[in-house]
Amino acid sequence: MTTSTAVNAKASGTFVIGGDLTVNRMGYGAMRITGDGIWGEPKDIDGAKKVLRRAVEAGVNFIDTADAYGPDVSERLIGEALAPYAKGVVIATKGGLTRQGPNEWLPVGRPEYLNQQVEMSLRRLKVERIDLWQLHRIDPKVPVEDSLGVIKKLQEQGKIRHVGLSEVKPKEIDRARKVIDIVSVQNQYNLSDRQHEDVVDYCTKHNIAFIPWFPVASGKLAKPGGKLDTAAKTHNTTVSQLSLAWLLQRSPVLLPIPGTTSVEHLEENIAAADVKLSADEWKAIEHSAK
């Protein structure tokens, strides 16, 4: 297994978000530092903060969260653990999904609601400006022009630096870009779930950051004894590390954000940046995923 106390996310290379935010490509997703069902407080608050601090120590300077994680819990813990932030640390958050209970999510894109949530995110994260704010989902009941219109006003007021989208297709990105500059897209994507290949290609073409959530392969492909497991053992790595390493080589715009509540697992994920395979080996692994 590839891991080391000297792991550093710098090994993953860098990407410049929006033309002015340079981040190491291996990031951290802070959804899991909450309770079961992404609801309420985590079982170990101190442990969650320890993971956040260790991530930054290990070179992670791109952390992704959302107001819906908890709700409010993930943002608050990030603010408590990391503010004032180390130079170069970029905190991305999202708004537009509401919570009715554990594992329950409902999109709300009304301008007045999004305005309120941005103000609350600023307070919890302890920042004067959000580096990257993303529309968590497009609300089918609200024209995206209305949802992003208020975000553009907040951007003009200096409360938001850059804007992104989540779970969208190219046509939706094009529509949004007529309202505001879109610098990132966050969709579910991994070696075993590649329904958004068209979006990855779109983002690569336009130099838009693609942030894959659920970045580790699952299902039959990743099961013990399966093709990915066999390949991982051949290269003295894990299925998770191989999955993350594949994302890093898939396109230079991909910014994986694996989440965990364990420092050991965090370091293992970061070490995936050191996993190097030949082009032919990657092709064989991709073929096995079909």
Side-chain angles (χ1 to χ4, degrees):
M1 181 178 70
T2 303
T3 187
S4 165
T5 54
V7 294
N8 196 297
K10 291 180 180 179
S12 63
T14 60
F15 180 79
V16 183
I17 300 173
D20 61 0
L21 288 177
T22 300
V23 299
N24 296 324
R25 292 177 61 203
M26 184 66 77
Y28 175 75
M31 183 174 74
R32 295 293 175 186
I33 55 168
T34 59
D36 293 339
I38 322 304
W39 184 260
E41 302 288 333
K43 294 178 180 178
D44 183 359
I45 292 177
D46 290 339
K49 292 181 179 180
K50 184 177 180 181
V51 169
L52 288 166
R53 294 187 182 110
R54 177 62 186 129
V56 174
E57 289 173 359
V60 172
N61 58 4
F62 180 66
I63 296 175
D64 179 82
T65 185
D67 60 22
Y69 298 164
D72 309 340
V73 174
S74 179
E75 286 186 329
R76 192 196 78 239
L77 292 179
I78 289 171
E80 291 175 355
L82 300 180
Y85 298 93
K87 184 178 180 180
V89 171
V90 173
I91 306 297
T93 193
K94 298 180 286 293
L97 275 183
T98 60
R99 304 303 305 281
Q100 293 69 46
N103 293 316
E104 294 182 22
W105 312 78
L106 180 68
V108 175
R110 296 193 306 274
E112 66 275 16
Y113 175 75
L114 296 179
N115 190 103
Q116 168 189 293
Q117 292 306 101
V118 168
E119 295 289 353
M120 296 302 293
S121 290
L122 287 165
R123 183 184 303 179
R124 287 187 291 266
L125 291 171
K126 299 184 179 182
V127 294
E128 295 183 355
R129 179 174 64 176
I130 294 169
D131 288 326
L132 175 59
W133 184 92
Q134 304 153 97
L135 183 60
H136 211 156
R137 291 292 186 277
I138 293 177
D139 185 345
K141 297 179 181 179
V142 181
V144 71
E145 291 81 1
D146 292 350
S147 296
L148 293 178
V150 69
I151 298 303
K152 186 174 184 179
K153 290 180 180 178
L154 289 165
Q155 187 181 50
E156 291 169 350
Q157 293 169 12
K159 296 179 179 180
I160 292 174
R161 188 169 188 169
H162 292 300
V163 177
L165 302 171
S166 181
E167 284 304 295
V168 289
K169 282 294 189 178
K171 286 185 178 180
E172 294 169 314
I173 305 171
D174 281 335
R175 182 175 174 180
R177 291 175 76 190
K178 293 178 181 179
V179 180
I180 197 168
D181 187 29
I182 298 297
V183 305
S184 71
V185 170
Q186 186 167 159
N187 285 11
Q188 181 171 335
Y189 184 75
N190 59 57
L191 185 56
S192 57
D193 184 351
R194 299 166 67 180
Q195 60 179 310
H196 292 301
E197 289 284 10
D198 56 340
V199 184
V200 173
D201 292 339
Y202 179 100
C203 289
T204 302
K205 177 181 178 181
H206 295 283
N207 201 38
I208 294 172
F210 184 100
I211 307 165
W213 64 271
F214 207 132
V216 175
S218 60
K220 291 182 179 180
L221 178 65
K223 69 180 182 180
K227 293 182 178 180
L228 196 56
D229 181 51
T230 300
K233 290 176 180 176
T234 298
H235 294 281
N236 192 34
T237 184
T238 68
V239 168
S240 294
Q241 289 176 322
L242 203 60
S243 298
L244 295 170
W246 177 81
L247 289 170
L248 290 172
Q249 66 82 42
R250 169 64 179 84
S251 167
V253 305
L254 260 68
L255 309 180
I257 50 167
T260 180
T261 58
S262 158
V263 168
E264 181 181 7
H265 190 208
L266 169 75
E267 294 178 347
E268 181 181 310
N269 287 337
I270 295 172
D274 294 316
V275 176
K276 308 296 182 185
L277 276 68
S278 69
D280 288 342
E281 288 172 320
W282 283 126
K283 285 182 180 179
I285 288 173
E286 289 181 4
H287 181 74
S288 72
K290 294 181 180 179

